[in-house]
Amino acid sequence: IKEGMPVYGSCAGMILLADRIVDGAVGQETFGGIDMTVRRNAFGRQVDSFESDLNFDGNSMHAVFIRAPWVEELSNSVQILSEVVAADGKAHPVAVRQGSLFATSFHPELTTDLRVHRYFFDQVCAGAIK
């Protein structure tokens, strides 16, 4: 990761790519790399898991959130690709990118929509993510 290898992390992968965690387990560490603070289980516990439509990189798509994190804080070097308005009435980033690192708090692999994975693949192939 530190050498620039492209990495995509979904849900727990977003937590692992975050530089900082809120509500992490005692002693929980991350690989880091994205200059953001992520809140674990931000939308609630397992029973609070949900599905929602959202705008990803300019396109509407359906997303599955399971005990999902959200981005609590991020630096100007982190690009927001999607946000969700939560029960607290605030928009929270749920898809972000910084350099060669890409993360979502939702699970695109649980749908038949390949656009999130295609986005990462296309960015790597275009050299936008090196």
Side-chain angles (χ1 to χ4, degrees):
I1 292 173
K2 287 180 182 177
E3 293 174 2
M5 178 178 68
V7 177
Y8 166 49
S10 65
C11 197
M14 174 182 261
I15 296 167
L16 287 171
L17 290 174
D19 285 347
R20 298 165 300 281
I21 307 171
V22 174
D23 291 340
V26 175
Q28 184 172 1
E29 296 182 24
T30 70
F31 300 130
I34 300 180
D35 189 7
M36 64 181 175
T37 302
V38 171
R39 179 174 296 276
R40 284 186 72 229
N41 301 333
F43 294 97
R45 302 180 59 81
Q46 185 78 23
V47 297
D48 300 309
S49 298
F50 66 99
E51 297 183 26
S52 178
D53 290 326
L54 53 81
N55 183 312
F56 174 79
D57 194 38
N59 298 296
S60 179
M61 68 175 298
H62 194 72
V64 178
F65 294 84
I66 302 173
R67 283 185 20 205
W70 68 39
V71 177
E72 193 99 346
E73 297 176 344
L74 47 77
S75 76
N76 291 336
S77 61
V78 179
Q79 177 184 7
I80 299 171
L81 300 172
S82 186
E83 296 178 307
V84 167
V85 176
D88 65 2
K90 297 179 183 175
H92 297 279
V94 294
V96 296
R97 175 179 161 197
Q98 182 178 2
S100 62
L101 305 179
F102 171 55
T104 60
S105 65
F106 54 91
H107 290 271
E109 74 280 4
L110 296 179
T111 71
T112 58
D113 191 335
L114 300 176
R115 285 181 287 172
V116 171
H117 294 101
R118 171 67 59 192
Y119 170 87
F120 180 68
F121 178 80
D122 288 346
Q123 293 294 305
V124 171
C125 289
I129 296 178
K130 298 181 181 188

